[in-house]
Amino acid sequence: MIDLAVFGAGRIGRVHALNAAALPAVRMKYLVDPVESDERRDLAARLGAEIVAPEAVFADPSVKGVVIASSTDTHADLVLNAVAAGKAIFCEKPVSLDFSTVERVAKAVEASGVACLMAFQRRYDPDFRYVRERIASGAAGPLEHVVMHTRDPSPPPPAYVERSGGMFRDQAIHDFDMARYLLGEEIATVYAVGGCLIDPEIGAAGDIDTAMVTLTSASGRFVQMVNCRRAPFGYDQRLEALCAKEVLYIENRPQRGVTVADAGGFRASPPMNYFIERFAEAYRAEMAAFADLVETGRPPLAGIRDGLEAQRIAEAALVSMRKGMPIHIGPDWRP
Amino acid sequence: MIDLAVFGAGRIGRVHALNAAALPAVRMKYLVDPVESDERRDLAARLGAEIVAPEAVFADPSVKGVVIASSTDTHADLVLNAVAAGKAIFCEKPVSLDFSTVERVAKAVEASGVACLMAFQRRYDPDFRYVRERIASGAAGPLEHVVMHTRDPSPPPPAYVERSGGMFRDQAIHDFDMARYLLGEEIATVYAVGGCLIDPEIGAAGDIDTAMVTLTSASGRFVQMVNCRRAPFGYDQRLEALCAKEVLYIENRPQRGVTVADAGGFRASPPMNYFIERFAEAYRAEMAAFADLVETGRPPLAGIRDGLEAQRIAEAALVSMRKGMPIHIGPDWRP
Amino acid sequence: MIDLAVFGAGRIGRVHALNAAALPAVRMKYLVDPVESDERRDLAARLGAEIVAPEAVFADPSVKGVVIASSTDTHADLVLNAVAAGKAIFCEKPVSLDFSTVERVAKAVEASGVACLMAFQRRYDPDFRYVRERIASGAAGPLEHVVMHTRDPSPPPPAYVERSGGMFRDQAIHDFDMARYLLGEEIATVYAVGGCLIDPEIGAAGDIDTAMVTLTSASGRFVQMVNCRRAPFGYDQRLEALCAKEVLYIENRPQRGVTVADAGGFRASPPMNYFIERFAEAYRAEMAAFADLVETGRPPLAGIRDGLEAQRIAEAALVSMRKGMPIHIGPDWRP
Amino acid sequence: MIDLAVFGAGRIGRVHALNAAALPAVRMKYLVDPVESDERRDLAARLGAEIVAPEAVFADPSVKGVVIASSTDTHADLVLNAVAAGKAIFCEKPVSLDFSTVERVAKAVEASGVACLMAFQRRYDPDFRYVRERIASGAAGPLEHVVMHTRDPSPPPPAYVERSGGMFRDQAIHDFDMARYLLGEEIATVYAVGGCLIDPEIGAAGDIDTAMVTLTSASGRFVQMVNCRRAPFGYDQRLEALCAKEVLYIENRPQRGVTVADAGGFRASPPMNYFIERFAEAYRAEMAAFADLVETGRPPLAGIRDGLEAQRIAEAALVSMRKGMPIHIGPDWRP
């Protein structure tokens, strides 16, 4: 039996904690969340977990790993404490909104040898895995370019926007990670445009709701991304990978398998709404991989370095958008 | 240059005549239609054809073939006249609403050796041809069963219904022909149910608007058909052939290639409406085949015997529906 | 906490038992399966259930309901014992391969007032429910006819075929049930054809692998069904309901959301394979409904009468196929 | 009867000339092509047109309009000659590979008041028109951003590449035009990346085979384009317009309406191959619009100014790619 602790009783913390607890080999021993709430009480009850302060987690040698799903501003310290205590780390992105902090934390994790899984759950999604495998196996032929669409069903509330670090660090970071993952190499140039076309409140909060990004890889291949805070039909999360022999499309997953035809045509179901539902299987597989990592040491599909590099692209996109210029990046570039 | 004559300036006559005239090697010399009308005048002008009485057509040795697209009650005599005059025949289905007349005409055509193309245009449609070829070539594996859907966009006017011979002879006859064509053998048993579920006026005219038919072939394979006088979205014409290695689906052809997504889901375009549009390419290919038949003698995909056998199934379906019993048919069966 | 017992540690017993145990309010107290096996041991361990003989279940007043998923020949006695013991019943179909036994059991259940859920899980599937609701609410307009396709991915082993009662009682019974459910009335006439076109071993076992059935309802509406033991691409389970305002299509659910395009066209993923996967959500909802029935008495979507009537149609289909005649049925008809 | 003349007996000249000749009100009086060839002879015969030198066309006052589909280097002079002779102009894009020549010609056309239709045929395609109308009518809500994919089925021969002016002026110019057309305003900023990832011979000919372009409109809306000289499955021509109430998708048009299902999944047909087939209807509508313009003066959907502005974006894309910088353009910008 593997004992774990979870930080954060919010939406995504709940998903991770329940997925962990559903694994036969895992016990979720502790739940850490500073705010007393119905959510916290209910989650602890469902987990059979004790509600404790962070110190209790790090002091208990029976705890082998920690799931960090608390608010972003707590991630860096929790990772560093886990490193100090020698506990395996499952960390929600981003590590920090401050890039130099991300660099410092990444350095500490890598120096320590403590295992760390960065929660880029798309890498664990069966559709994305299938595409990755067709490319990696050579079946699809060499990858030439990638197009990605990520649109939320509707704009987030202004309070969320303010804490989020902005659309590039919050939403597009998953696409930046996927670009690196599929290309199998680093990004060399980033060009981004963005604006507030949908929701003036997002603009008032200092963020954008629409962006288009072009990435050029070190070897000269291209990636194009659309990121948006609204799609009229719901959550839009698609990818198109053009390879020499095949084009691979990841489509949206429909809510229902029912089509309704009338005089207006054939109405297929809207897609699953929202990422918690669309990536339910990915979240389960990701947590199973973390349990496996704790038990056997098998490396995760995404580690702290992947968190750092995806965020470097996000920072470059922000600079590019502000300056109206493409930004050339490398391992030493920082905003 | 091949000289032809067309009988009938109505909807389908116009399609056939213009398709024939568009062929470089064909001249449509005569148009025969007893009713003076704008339609007749306009079609003659577009064809550059002379409006004449039937006798003029059969007396002119330069006319090599006739396109019979006049009202059904004239088909039999026109075919027999064409046989007597030794002119190749393109004949709209059905040859006659009276089965013994069909038998008599078929006998005469076969005895004469005059070439005759029965206008089962689906045999010339590229989608149906593709399916037929995958089966005939063995690529799909042995054909095991067939399912067909034919639904009109909306009920025909009562006047049409009264002259039509009923849904089996008028609409389902195309499906009966396709069943024989794909199976490559004759039908042995016919079971049909039908009723008036959509439009009471059709019932008042003595016809049905909904039918389901099951066919068993001589070798024991099965066909199932739905025939209906309405689909809420337009013209519904589909086929599904289950073979040992492949299932072959003929889908509806959409009007537009535009999908519109909103909160209600993804609305794909309604299908082409109606058969004149859906089978435009088939009609062109069918007429080209007739010109080729006139010129080179190459046999058509459907001949007078196919018209007879499809109609035998239609007659059996009618008897089956009335008696509430399956009907066993063979070359000597008649209603 | 509701205490239940499950009979049968096989494939479907396992699904039902684990779904029940996953419900917060349910404890699976007992597992009954006469054969000692790894499966039985493992399932008991996962359930935390005691392995006992049937008598222990019926003698324990704390057990409020029984899940009958053992071999078909045991269903009838188990239902009668549950009736005698006053325990709510969840029963896999069919109740018995012998129709008079089904009638006898149904009478006993109805006389007793004991609640009984017949496991026609499609009624609990979200897609089928959506279709049913659009019809029942009037949104789709009056239902005029229904077309259903059920094809297994590949023929079952001969040993299964021999025990199954044949394709009508084993596979098509779900379609018979759905026909009644959507029409909201009883079937009056059944015509079936069938044969062994795919797998000679099925024929040797006295069964068919391909069937086509036409149903006419009491009010004169129509249902057409294809049932088959193989589809080259996997599990094929679709429905098409033609209503006056809408056509409702239940499509297959794809395994993956990835399309692969190459010179041969666009390859969409095969459907989920097989019913355990396709109807996973339906099985969970069905068991939740049973727990709810035990707790609150809320009636199930399908009861013992539905099991009886669906089987009556299956029996009539068998007679129809053997006699080559349509069979007229009513509440007093029996094979 | 409207008399026209066509310049160019090549592939696209043939399409335009036959479409014109098929219009009841049009006679194609002259064909101009300096090279004696079977193509030229055959086309003249099918048109019933006289083969003449350019001077004869411009000297004949009965000729009301000219269709310019000859090689690109002849366009500018032919347009200027048509202006001088007061004949309506149908001109294939681009007007010239030299931007200052395009400017000079546009000025001359505009000063003269001679009508000119620039052959951006997508504006006449029913799918693109439908999308344009849903935006223009307000049904879709305000347009926020556009994504376009244009991929040829396979790289063109090097000889073509050398004369083409490069992928931006030759292929992407249609997308640049469509961007302006849908946005209803001018482009302010162009960023392009491109490379030779598919066919080294294209690189040797000084061109690219893959490009990604981001456009920002004057009011701050965004367009993203992928342009490529190969798609493994054939011609890929799609558009996605995100509006506030609807997303509008223009899909590829399939070659066939047949889906083939086997163990590998569901294979839908590849798209129509190539633009001559895909845009057959658009070419017909475009030529009908030209005949209408000659007869009634109704303005075309695209004029010489549209040719100029689309090419300005193409020139800016080329400069952007070479400099690695976004280019800000306006009515006075030139390369």
Side-chain angles (χ1 to χ4, degrees):
Chain A
M1 189 61 75
I2 305 164
D3 282 345
L4 301 180
V6 59
F7 293 81
R11 182 170 58 170
I12 194 68
R14 186 179 175 86
V15 168
H16 290 319
L18 291 174
N19 282 340
L23 295 168
V26 167
R27 183 171 61 157
M28 192 54 82
K29 194 169 182 181
Y30 299 121
L31 168 62
V32 181
D33 193 301
V35 184
E36 199 185 316
S37 68
D38 286 355
E39 280 184 335
R40 188 181 76 164
R41 195 164 30 247
D42 175 69
L43 182 58
R46 293 196 53 159
L47 295 170
E50 194 180 345
I51 299 172
V52 297
E55 297 71 27
V57 170
F58 295 114
D60 181 343
S62 78
V63 172
K64 299 302 181 207
V66 294
V67 175
I68 301 173
S70 44
S71 63
T72 297
D73 57 352
T74 65
H75 290 185
D77 282 350
L78 290 172
V79 171
L80 292 173
N81 285 336
V83 163
K87 299 191 187 309
I89 301 158
F90 177 110
C91 185
E92 263 301 325
K93 54 94 234 174
V95 171
S96 167
L97 298 182
D98 174 62
F99 188 72
S100 63
T101 302
V102 183
E103 282 188 304
R104 186 165 48 90
V105 170
K107 220 170 271 179
V109 170
E110 292 183 339
S112 74
V114 167
C116 176
L117 185 155
M118 275 306 295
F120 289 126
Q121 88 283 354
R122 283 185 209 165
R123 294 195 182 204
Y124 289 97
D125 177 73
D127 292 350
F128 284 85
R129 292 193 78 158
Y130 183 79
V131 165
R132 156 83 179 182
E133 282 161 25
R134 280 200 89 76
I135 294 170
S137 71
L143 175 62
E144 290 160 0
H145 65 255
V146 179
V147 180
M148 288 183 277
H149 299 70
T150 300
R151 299 187 181 104
D152 291 340
S154 54
Y160 178 90
V161 170
E162 274 159 24
R163 289 191 323 266
S164 71
M167 198 166 68
F168 292 126
R169 291 192 192 101
D170 177 56
Q171 184 209 62
I173 198 166
H174 285 285
D175 302 298
F176 297 137
D177 177 63
M178 191 46 60
R180 292 179 61 246
Y181 189 52
L182 292 184
L183 290 168
E185 62 170 331
E186 296 301 337
I187 297 305
T189 307
V190 180
Y191 177 75
V193 294
C196 200
L197 297 169
I198 291 167
D199 184 353
E201 290 203 37
I202 289 182
D207 199 3
I208 54 173
D209 55 32
T210 304
M212 291 187 164
V213 184
T214 305
L215 308 176
T216 307
S217 78
S219 74
R221 294 180 293 162
F222 305 114
V223 177
Q224 210 169 36
M225 299 165 38
V226 175
N227 288 270
C228 191
R229 287 296 193 187
R230 181 176 67 195
F233 56 79
Y235 185 41
D236 190 20
Q237 171 48 64
R238 287 172 297 141
L239 182 145
E240 185 170 330
L242 190 118
C243 307
K245 288 191 257 172
E246 292 178 348
V247 189
L248 302 159
Y249 300 89
I250 300 177
E251 320 272 10
N252 289 314
R253 291 262 183 175
Q255 266 174 50
R256 278 187 298 274
V258 178
T259 294
V260 179
D262 59 18
F266 290 76
R267 274 181 290 133
S269 153
M272 285 181 174
N273 199 17
Y274 182 29
F275 64 91
I276 297 285
E277 190 187 348
R278 164 64 183 89
F279 288 110
E281 198 172 342
Y283 288 123
R284 284 196 295 271
E286 184 182 50
M287 189 50 73
F290 182 60
D292 186 53
L293 174 158
V294 172
E295 202 171 13
T296 73
R298 203 185 324 269
L301 294 184
I304 191 76
R305 170 70 35 185
D306 298 301
L308 175 69
E309 293 301 338
Q311 195 155 345
R312 197 191 307 274
I313 304 171
E315 302 293 342
L318 205 54
V319 175
S320 171
M321 181 180 70
R322 286 179 182 155
K323 293 200 175 164
M325 301 276 289
I327 303 297
H328 303 283
I329 60 176
D332 298 327
W333 183 89
R334 53 184 55 85
Chain B
M1 189 61 74
I2 303 164
D3 281 346
L4 301 180
V6 61
F7 293 81
R11 182 170 58 170
I12 193 70
R14 187 179 174 86
V15 168
H16 291 319
L18 291 174
N19 283 340
L23 294 168
V26 168
R27 183 170 62 155
M28 192 55 81
K29 192 168 181 181
Y30 300 121
L31 168 61
V32 182
D33 193 304
V35 184
E36 200 185 316
S37 68
D38 286 355
E39 279 184 336
R40 189 182 73 164
R41 198 167 24 250
D42 176 68
L43 181 57
R46 292 195 54 160
L47 296 169
E50 194 179 345
I51 299 173
V52 296
E55 296 71 27
V57 169
F58 295 115
D60 182 343
S62 78
V63 171
K64 300 303 181 205
V66 294
V67 175
I68 302 173
S70 44
S71 64
T72 298
D73 57 353
T74 66
H75 290 185
D77 282 350
L78 290 173
V79 171
L80 292 174
N81 285 335
V83 163
K87 300 190 187 313
I89 301 158
F90 176 111
C91 186
E92 262 301 325
K93 53 94 229 171
V95 171
S96 168
L97 298 183
D98 175 61
F99 187 71
S100 64
T101 301
V102 183
E103 281 187 305
R104 187 165 46 90
V105 170
K107 221 170 270 178
V109 170
E110 292 184 340
S112 73
V114 167
C116 177
L117 185 155
M118 276 305 296
F120 290 127
Q121 88 284 353
R122 282 185 209 164
R123 293 195 183 205
Y124 289 97
D125 177 73
D127 291 351
F128 284 84
R129 291 194 80 156
Y130 183 79
V131 165
R132 157 83 179 183
E133 282 162 25
R134 280 199 90 75
I135 295 170
S137 70
L143 175 62
E144 291 160 1
H145 66 257
V146 179
V147 180
M148 287 183 278
H149 299 70
T150 299
R151 297 185 182 106
D152 292 339
S154 54
Y160 177 89
V161 170
E162 274 158 25
R163 289 190 322 265
S164 72
M167 197 164 69
F168 291 128
R169 292 192 193 102
D170 177 57
Q171 184 208 61
I173 197 166
H174 286 284
D175 302 298
F176 297 138
D177 177 64
M178 191 46 59
R180 292 179 63 247
Y181 189 53
L182 292 184
L183 290 168
E185 62 169 332
E186 296 301 335
I187 297 305
T189 307
V190 180
Y191 177 75
V193 294
C196 200
L197 297 167
I198 291 167
D199 184 353
E201 290 202 36
I202 289 182
D207 200 4
I208 53 172
D209 56 30
T210 305
M212 292 186 163
V213 183
T214 306
L215 308 177
T216 308
S217 78
S219 74
R221 294 180 293 163
F222 306 115
V223 177
Q224 211 169 34
M225 299 163 37
V226 176
N227 288 270
C228 191
R229 287 297 193 187
R230 181 176 66 196
F233 55 78
Y235 185 41
D236 190 20
Q237 170 49 64
R238 287 173 296 142
L239 181 145
E240 185 169 331
L242 190 118
C243 306
K245 290 191 256 171
E246 291 179 349
V247 189
L248 302 160
Y249 300 89
I250 301 177
E251 320 271 11
N252 289 314
R253 290 260 182 176
Q255 267 174 49
R256 278 188 298 275
V258 178
T259 294
V260 179
D262 59 17
F266 290 76
R267 274 181 290 133
S269 155
M272 283 179 175
N273 199 17
Y274 180 28
F275 64 93
I276 298 284
E277 191 187 347
R278 164 63 182 88
F279 287 110
E281 198 172 343
Y283 287 124
R284 284 196 294 271
E286 185 181 48
M287 188 51 71
F290 182 58
D292 186 52
L293 174 158
V294 172
E295 202 170 13
T296 72
R298 203 186 322 270
L301 295 183
I304 191 77
R305 171 70 34 187
D306 298 301
L308 176 69
E309 293 301 337
Q311 195 155 346
R312 198 191 306 277
I313 305 171
E315 301 294 340
L318 206 54
V319 175
S320 170
M321 181 179 71
R322 286 179 182 154
K323 294 200 175 163
M325 301 275 289
I327 303 298
H328 303 284
I329 60 176
D332 298 327
W333 184 90
R334 53 184 56 86
Chain C
M1 187 63 74
I2 304 163
D3 281 345
L4 301 180
V6 59
F7 293 81
R11 184 170 56 171
I12 194 69
R14 186 179 176 87
V15 168
H16 291 319
L18 291 174
N19 282 340
L23 295 167
V26 168
R27 182 169 62 156
M28 193 53 83
K29 191 169 184 182
Y30 299 121
L31 167 62
V32 181
D33 194 303
V35 184
E36 198 184 316
S37 69
D38 286 355
E39 280 184 337
R40 189 181 75 166
R41 196 165 29 247
D42 176 69
L43 180 58
R46 293 197 52 161
L47 296 170
E50 194 180 344
I51 300 171
V52 297
E55 296 72 27
V57 170
F58 296 113
D60 181 344
S62 77
V63 172
K64 300 300 181 209
V66 294
V67 175
I68 302 175
S70 45
S71 63
T72 297
D73 57 352
T74 66
H75 291 185
D77 282 350
L78 291 172
V79 171
L80 294 174
N81 285 334
V83 163
K87 300 190 186 314
I89 301 159
F90 176 111
C91 185
E92 263 301 324
K93 52 92 234 176
V95 172
S96 167
L97 299 182
D98 175 62
F99 187 72
S100 62
T101 301
V102 182
E103 283 187 304
R104 187 165 46 90
V105 169
K107 220 169 273 180
V109 170
E110 293 184 338
S112 73
V114 167
C116 176
L117 184 156
M118 275 305 296
F120 289 126
Q121 88 283 352
R122 282 184 210 165
R123 294 195 182 203
Y124 290 98
D125 177 72
D127 291 351
F128 284 84
R129 291 194 80 157
Y130 182 79
V131 165
R132 157 85 179 181
E133 282 162 25
R134 279 199 91 75
I135 295 170
S137 70
L143 175 62
E144 292 161 359
H145 65 255
V146 179
V147 180
M148 288 184 276
H149 298 72
T150 300
R151 298 185 182 105
D152 292 339
S154 54
Y160 178 89
V161 170
E162 275 158 24
R163 288 191 323 268
S164 71
M167 198 166 68
F168 292 125
R169 292 194 193 98
D170 177 55
Q171 185 209 59
I173 197 166
H174 286 284
D175 302 298
F176 297 137
D177 177 63
M178 190 46 59
R180 292 179 62 248
Y181 189 53
L182 293 185
L183 290 168
E185 63 170 332
E186 296 301 336
I187 297 305
T189 307
V190 181
Y191 177 74
V193 294
C196 200
L197 296 169
I198 290 166
D199 184 353
E201 290 201 38
I202 289 181
D207 198 4
I208 53 171
D209 55 32
T210 304
M212 291 185 164
V213 183
T214 305
L215 308 177
T216 307
S217 77
S219 73
R221 294 179 293 161
F222 305 114
V223 177
Q224 211 169 36
M225 300 164 36
V226 176
N227 288 270
C228 192
R229 287 298 193 186
R230 181 177 66 196
F233 56 78
Y235 185 42
D236 190 20
Q237 171 47 65
R238 287 171 298 141
L239 181 145
E240 185 168 329
L242 190 119
C243 307
K245 290 192 254 169
E246 292 179 347
V247 189
L248 303 159
Y249 300 89
I250 301 177
E251 320 272 10
N252 288 314
R253 291 262 182 173
Q255 268 175 47
R256 278 188 298 275
V258 179
T259 295
V260 179
D262 60 17
F266 289 75
R267 273 181 290 133
S269 153
M272 285 180 172
N273 200 16
Y274 183 24
F275 64 93
I276 297 285
E277 190 187 349
R278 164 65 183 87
F279 287 109
E281 198 171 342
Y283 287 124
R284 283 196 296 270
E286 184 182 48
M287 189 50 72
F290 182 59
D292 185 52
L293 174 158
V294 172
E295 204 170 12
T296 72
R298 200 185 324 270
L301 295 184
I304 190 77
R305 172 68 36 184
D306 298 301
L308 176 69
E309 293 302 337
Q311 194 154 346
R312 198 191 306 276
I313 305 171
E315 301 293 340
L318 205 54
V319 175
S320 171
M321 180 178 72
R322 285 180 183 152
K323 293 199 176 166
M325 301 277 289
I327 302 297
H328 304 283
I329 61 176
D332 298 327
W333 184 89
R334 52 184 57 87
Chain D
M1 188 62 75
I2 304 164
D3 281 344
L4 302 180
V6 59
F7 294 81
R11 183 170 57 172
I12 194 69
R14 186 179 176 86
V15 168
H16 291 319
L18 291 174
N19 282 341
L23 295 168
V26 167
R27 183 170 62 156
M28 193 53 83
K29 191 168 182 182
Y30 299 121
L31 168 61
V32 181
D33 193 303
V35 184
E36 198 185 316
S37 68
D38 285 355
E39 280 183 335
R40 189 181 74 165
R41 197 166 27 246
D42 176 69
L43 181 56
R46 292 194 56 159
L47 296 171
E50 194 180 345
I51 300 172
V52 297
E55 296 72 26
V57 170
F58 296 113
D60 182 343
S62 77
V63 171
K64 299 303 181 206
V66 295
V67 175
I68 301 174
S70 45
S71 63
T72 298
D73 56 353
T74 66
H75 290 185
D77 282 349
L78 290 172
V79 171
L80 293 174
N81 285 335
V83 164
K87 300 190 186 312
I89 301 158
F90 177 110
C91 186
E92 264 300 325
K93 52 93 235 175
V95 171
S96 167
L97 298 182
D98 175 63
F99 188 72
S100 62
T101 301
V102 183
E103 282 188 304
R104 187 164 47 90
V105 169
K107 221 169 271 179
V109 170
E110 292 183 339
S112 72
V114 167
C116 176
L117 184 156
M118 275 305 295
F120 289 126
Q121 88 283 353
R122 281 184 211 166
R123 293 195 182 203
Y124 289 97
D125 177 73
D127 291 350
F128 284 85
R129 290 193 81 157
Y130 183 79
V131 165
R132 157 83 181 183
E133 282 161 26
R134 279 199 90 75
I135 295 170
S137 71
L143 175 63
E144 291 161 0
H145 66 256
V146 179
V147 180
M148 288 183 276
H149 298 71
T150 300
R151 298 184 182 106
D152 293 338
S154 53
Y160 177 89
V161 170
E162 275 159 24
R163 289 192 320 270
S164 71
M167 198 165 69
F168 291 126
R169 292 192 193 102
D170 177 56
Q171 185 208 59
I173 197 166
H174 286 285
D175 302 298
F176 297 137
D177 177 63
M178 191 46 59
R180 292 179 61 246
Y181 189 53
L182 292 184
L183 290 168
E185 63 169 331
E186 297 300 336
I187 298 305
T189 307
V190 181
Y191 177 75
V193 295
C196 200
L197 295 168
I198 290 166
D199 184 352
E201 288 201 38
I202 288 182
D207 199 5
I208 54 173
D209 55 32
T210 303
M212 292 185 163
V213 183
T214 305
L215 307 177
T216 307
S217 78
S219 73
R221 295 180 293 162
F222 305 115
V223 177
Q224 210 169 37
M225 301 164 36
V226 175
N227 288 272
C228 190
R229 288 296 193 186
R230 182 176 67 196
F233 56 77
Y235 185 42
D236 190 20
Q237 171 48 62
R238 287 173 295 143
L239 181 145
E240 185 169 331
L242 191 118
C243 307
K245 289 191 255 171
E246 292 179 347
V247 189
L248 302 160
Y249 301 89
I250 300 177
E251 320 271 9
N252 288 313
R253 290 261 182 173
Q255 267 174 50
R256 277 187 300 274
V258 179
T259 294
V260 179
D262 59 17
F266 289 75
R267 272 180 290 133
S269 155
M272 284 180 174
N273 201 14
Y274 182 23
F275 63 92
I276 297 286
E277 190 186 350
R278 164 64 182 87
F279 288 109
E281 199 172 341
Y283 287 124
R284 283 196 296 270
E286 184 181 49
M287 188 51 70
F290 182 59
D292 186 52
L293 173 158
V294 172
E295 204 171 10
T296 72
R298 202 186 322 271
L301 295 183
I304 191 78
R305 171 69 34 186
D306 299 300
L308 176 69
E309 293 302 336
Q311 194 154 344
R312 199 192 306 277
I313 305 171
E315 302 293 340
L318 205 54
V319 174
S320 171
M321 181 178 73
R322 285 180 184 154
K323 292 199 176 164
M325 301 275 288
I327 303 297
H328 303 284
I329 61 176
D332 298 327
W333 184 89
R334 52 185 55 86

